[in-house]
Amino acid sequence: SKMRFSTLALSALILAAPVSAIAQDHLGGGMMGGHSMMGGMHGFFTPEQREMYMETNKIDFSSMSHEQRHAQMQALHAKFDGMSDADKAKLKSDMQAKFDALTPDQKQAVEQKIAEHKARHDKMMGGDHQ
C-alpha cells in the first residue's frame, strides 16, 4: 500500500538527520553558524506543510544509502535556501493548500505520521526510556 511506503521513507529521513541538527532546532536553528541541517525548513513550515513538501519532492529514501539520503536532503535544503522570500511564501501557501485539499482520511494519515515522528524524536532526545 502506497501510504505505508511513504511513511517508511519519511522514517528513514528522520533517522538520517543528525541528532545535533534536530536538537539545535529547538534552540532556534540558525544560531550556530546556520549549519542546522533542518534549520530553515523546520522553522518555516508547519509539520503538515513539511510532510506535503517531502511528498511533493517524491524522494524515495528507502532505496538510498545513508550518504545518498544525506546528499538528497542537502540538495533539498539548498533548493529551499536558494529561494527568494516571495517564492518561499508561495511555497508555504501551496503546501497548505495541498494539505487542505486532502480528504479527512488522508489528513488523518498525515497527522499520524507527524505524531510518529514526534514520538521518535522525543525518544531520540532522551525522553523517558521505558
Side-chain angles (χ1 to χ4, degrees):
S1 76
K2 175 118 179 42
M3 211 52 221
R4 180 87 199 105
F5 178 75
S6 62
T7 306
L8 289 173
L10 283 157
S11 306
L13 160 68
I14 299 297
L15 294 172
V19 176
S20 62
I22 295 175
Q24 221 170 291
D25 263 0
H26 285 304
L27 308 171
M31 288 192 309
M32 305 176 58
H35 279 306
S36 165
M37 188 173 95
M38 303 297 249
M41 275 168 56
H42 254 271
F44 184 73
F45 290 127
T46 66
E48 289 79 7
Q49 291 163 354
R50 201 166 61 244
E51 293 292 341
M52 294 298 103
Y53 188 57
M54 292 304 173
E55 294 276 324
T56 307
N57 283 277
K58 293 272 180 291
I59 298 173
D60 174 11
F61 285 101
S62 61
S63 67
M64 296 180 189
S65 70
H66 182 78
E67 286 74 21
Q68 286 172 319
R69 279 200 301 263
H70 192 71
Q72 190 75 56
M73 273 315 289
Q74 287 188 319
L76 206 57
H77 283 281
K79 183 170 134 188
F80 178 82
D81 291 338
M83 288 180 184
S84 68
D85 288 346
D87 285 345
K88 286 181 187 174
K90 181 178 182 326
L91 179 65
K92 189 176 167 78
S93 63
D94 286 352
M95 292 307 111
Q96 186 59 51
K98 201 172 157 72
F99 179 74
D100 291 341
L102 298 177
T103 66
D105 282 354
Q106 289 171 317
K107 283 183 180 164
Q108 183 63 54
V110 171
E111 295 297 342
Q112 177 65 39
K113 240 190 291 191
I114 292 167
E116 284 168 15
H117 292 176
K118 185 172 170 2
R120 194 177 303 117
H121 182 133
D122 291 349
K123 218 194 206 128
M124 275 169 41
M125 300 306 289
D128 44 0
H129 297 290
Q130 304 196 335

